[in-house]
Amino acid sequence: EFEPDSALLVEADSAAERERRRFIDQERKLFNVERQIDDLLARYHLPFEAQLKERIMLRTQLDEDTMEDLIERELKARAPIVIFLLVPVFTAIMKLLYIREKRFYVEHFVFALHVHSFVFFTLTLLAVLPDWWLVGLLFGLWLVAYIFLSLRRVYQQSRWMTLFKYIALSFAYFVLSIVAITLTFVYTLLFAAV
């Protein structure tokens, strides 16, 4: 007669118990998420709440690696579009910073397109070149210096005034970029195809 090894039985039982506990924890998390979604949707009475709830529940059932891959893929696909849509916002900030200059919005827009083209060119070079920290540092310094010098040359102001406006422009654009990326992230979570 065959008698199973008791150590194998204990190991199989513990593996089954771990799997059962993981399943129960996952179900509990899904229930909590579903209850929170119901509360949120009840509070705001969204017209598309059924579709929204279905999408959120689908996302919460994905494993962590799949979810990270989905988010990374969707953000990479949408990032150039978001940056392109921020060009008019960048131009409006430029118009506000150089309000005393008698320049038209279109002139600022041409400069903004030039700067964004240069940034995309630099990022493309960084994507092609080896991934060394020194290369990234040099290209980052080149980018900062180029934008500063182009602001100084085009708008012909003192170094200190150009530096002040460059810092203000960078800060405002950084904040707006974070807002845009956050909205893109939320959009990706809700509406991206799995």
Side-chain angles (χ1 to χ4, degrees):
E1 263 182 53
F2 174 75
E3 290 189 26
D5 188 9
S6 62
L8 288 175
L9 287 176
V10 169
E11 185 177 319
D13 286 343
S14 63
E17 182 63 24
R18 280 194 307 269
E19 183 64 27
R20 188 181 72 75
R21 284 188 188 141
R22 190 182 67 75
F23 179 76
I24 290 171
D25 287 344
Q26 189 175 20
E27 287 295 315
R28 191 175 296 134
K29 286 177 187 176
L30 287 175
F31 177 75
N32 288 338
V33 168
E34 188 171 4
R35 192 178 64 217
Q36 290 171 356
I37 293 169
D38 286 339
D39 293 345
L40 178 74
L41 295 176
R43 191 176 320 136
Y44 293 108
H45 304 292
L46 299 174
F48 53 92
E49 63 186 63
Q51 295 92 343
L52 188 61
K53 181 179 176 181
E54 180 181 326
R55 288 179 182 274
I56 293 172
M57 290 306 296
L58 181 63
R59 298 300 185 275
T60 57
Q61 292 175 4
L62 296 176
D63 66 342
E64 195 171 322
D65 291 336
T66 306
M67 189 65 162
E68 286 176 8
D69 291 343
L70 170 72
I71 291 170
E72 182 179 348
R73 183 185 74 229
E74 293 294 326
L75 285 178
K76 281 182 179 177
R78 289 183 172 85
I81 297 166
V82 170
I83 293 172
F84 180 74
L85 293 175
L86 283 175
V87 172
V89 176
F90 183 84
T91 306
I93 297 169
M94 294 287 298
K95 181 72 174 161
L96 288 174
L97 285 174
Y98 293 97
I99 198 147
R100 291 187 182 173
E101 301 273 327
K102 300 299 179 195
R103 294 180 185 258
F104 294 108
Y105 180 85
V106 173
E107 292 176 277
H108 296 291
F109 188 73
V110 169
F111 179 77
L113 284 175
H114 173 79
V115 167
H116 280 79
S117 298
F118 181 75
V119 169
F120 275 122
F121 173 71
T122 305
L123 293 176
T124 302
L125 285 178
L126 276 175
V128 172
L129 293 174
D131 191 19
W132 297 328
W133 68 269
L134 184 60
V135 172
L137 178 67
L138 290 175
F139 273 93
L141 291 174
W142 181 34
L143 194 62
V144 169
Y146 183 85
I147 295 171
F148 174 78
L149 292 173
S150 65
L151 278 171
R152 183 132 197 273
R153 180 166 187 127
V154 169
Y155 294 102
Q156 298 179 350
Q157 291 187 333
S158 70
R159 285 184 184 98
W160 293 109
M161 186 57 77
T162 303
L163 181 63
F164 170 74
K165 290 183 178 183
Y166 178 65
I167 291 170
L169 176 68
S170 299
F171 178 76
Y173 194 65
F174 176 75
V175 169
L176 290 171
S177 298
I178 295 298
V179 169
I181 289 170
T182 303
L183 291 174
T184 305
F185 178 76
V186 170
Y187 178 84
T188 299
L189 283 177
L190 296 178
F191 301 109
V194 178

